[in-house]
């Protein structure tokens, strides 16, 4: 359920905002155009919004500033603590893509950035099926995450990271469950979503999936 990576995120919480702002050269390409990516997610959002893996709250701040009702689901205790320092009055729950409360308000958009790849392909399938039930009619999923055109492309990035001496990045790319574009298109289509995808940087694509009317 992605919780096997919790230690990494608990340890990363203190320096996460520095990393996404480009201060860590090892991850500078991964987080290139970070603010633009978050703005793109907000652009496709309609509220109320449910976010998975909000981390320190960077996307949440933008969604709330845009006037949308917001709920966050974050499995990392350390990240939740950082989030609450920025947004102390915002609804935030311990949970993950597969385990989260049932909410009384109609969820119109599910968003997530840099997180969906922590699920195996089988777990991604389970999550999308559950999203379909969680979303209101004509609801939208908006994800920005690392994904690749092919497995070969991922392996090329692993080789590049190793050549540059970026061992942590190489380990991430080898250990986590980065999907291909083809897999995600098929996953959402067979679960009754239309889908559009746009590349945002060398690693990150924006995925916008609209739930079809029953």
């Amino acid at each position: 359920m992605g919780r096997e990576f919790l230690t990494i995120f608990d340890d990363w919480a203190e320096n996460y905002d520095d990393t996404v702002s480009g201060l860590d050269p090892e991850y500078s390409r991964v987080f290139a155009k970070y603010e633009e990516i978050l703005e793109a997610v907000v652009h496709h959002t309609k509220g109320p919004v449910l976010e998975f893996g909000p981390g320190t709250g960077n996307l949440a701040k933008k969604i709330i500033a845009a006037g949308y009702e917001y709920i966050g689901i974050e499995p990392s205790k350390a990240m939740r603590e950082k989030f609450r320092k920025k947004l102390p009055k915002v609804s935030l729950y311990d949970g993950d893509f597969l385990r989260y409360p049932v909410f009384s308000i109609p969820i119109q958009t599910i968003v997530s950035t840099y997180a969906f790849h922590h699920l195996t392909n089988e777990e991604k399938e389970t999550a999308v099926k559950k999203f379909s039930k969680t979303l209101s009619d004509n609801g939208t999923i908006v994800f920005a995450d690392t994904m690749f055109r092919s497995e070969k492309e991922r392996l090329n990035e692993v080789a590049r990271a190793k050549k540059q001496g970026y061992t942590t990045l190489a380990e991430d790319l080898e250990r986590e469950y980065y999907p291909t574009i083809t897999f995600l298109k098929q996953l959402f289509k067979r679960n009754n979503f239309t889908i559009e995808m746009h590349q945002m940087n060398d690693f990150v694509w924006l995925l916008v999936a609209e739930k079809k009317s029953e």
Side-chain angles (χ1 to χ4, degrees):
M1 299 181 191
R3 287 183 176 262
E4 63 266 40
F5 304 114
L6 277 184
T7 300
I8 294 172
F9 283 92
D10 285 342
D11 293 342
W12 196 6
E14 189 64 34
N15 299 313
Y16 183 80
D17 285 348
D18 289 339
T19 302
V20 300
S21 65
L23 296 182
D24 184 347
E26 188 162 359
Y27 285 87
S28 61
R29 290 174 61 234
V30 177
F31 291 105
K33 300 181 180 179
Y34 179 71
E35 293 295 328
E36 181 180 329
I37 289 168
L38 299 191
E39 293 291 350
V41 174
V42 176
H43 175 74
H44 290 280
T45 291
K46 49 191 176 184
V49 180
L50 176 62
E51 182 182 12
F52 289 96
T56 62
N58 296 326
L59 178 59
K61 284 181 66 177
K62 292 180 181 294
I63 289 171
I64 293 164
Y68 297 115
E69 190 170 357
Y70 174 93
I71 299 169
I73 305 293
E74 173 57 58
S76 165
K77 181 181 178 181
M79 287 289 191
R80 290 198 302 273
E81 290 172 352
K82 287 291 183 180
F83 182 106
R84 289 190 171 112
K85 286 181 179 179
K86 290 182 184 178
L87 300 163
K89 297 181 180 180
V90 174
S91 297
L92 181 67
Y93 297 86
D94 181 6
D96 54 52
F97 284 106
L98 302 182
R99 296 186 299 182
Y100 52 94
V102 175
F103 301 105
S104 58
I105 63 171
I107 302 299
Q108 291 186 276
T109 309
I110 292 174
V111 302
S112 185
T113 56
Y114 296 90
F116 197 50
H117 67 270
H118 295 127
L119 301 184
T120 66
N121 283 352
E122 293 78 12
E123 289 169 342
K124 290 183 182 75
E125 182 88 46
T126 301
V128 171
K129 288 181 185 297
K130 191 169 183 178
F131 296 159
S132 183
K133 297 177 181 178
T134 299
L135 282 169
S136 58
D137 290 344
N138 300 313
T140 306
I141 295 172
V142 188
F143 286 171
D145 199 7
T146 296
M147 54 191 78
F148 297 99
R149 291 185 180 88
S150 65
E151 180 65 5
K152 181 179 179 181
E153 185 179 59
R154 183 186 68 83
L155 293 174
N156 286 343
E157 287 293 351
V158 171
R160 175 173 178 167
K162 288 180 177 179
K163 185 176 181 179
Q164 293 176 309
Y166 293 161
T167 55
T168 303
L169 175 58
E171 289 171 358
D172 284 347
L173 292 172
E174 290 182 310
R175 176 182 56 232
E176 299 176 17
Y177 312 117
Y178 298 98
T180 64
I181 301 300
T182 299
F183 170 80
L184 288 173
K185 285 182 176 179
Q186 293 173 345
L187 169 63
F188 281 91
K189 286 179 180 178
R190 66 175 169 260
N191 283 286
N192 203 39
F193 288 87
T194 61
I195 182 170
E196 294 183 4
M197 304 179 76
H198 308 280
Q199 190 165 15
M200 302 298 293
N201 66 26
D202 290 342
F203 289 83
V204 174
W205 289 67
L206 180 72
L207 179 158
V208 182
E210 299 280 351
K211 181 181 174 182
K212 295 179 184 178
S213 299
E214 297 294 340

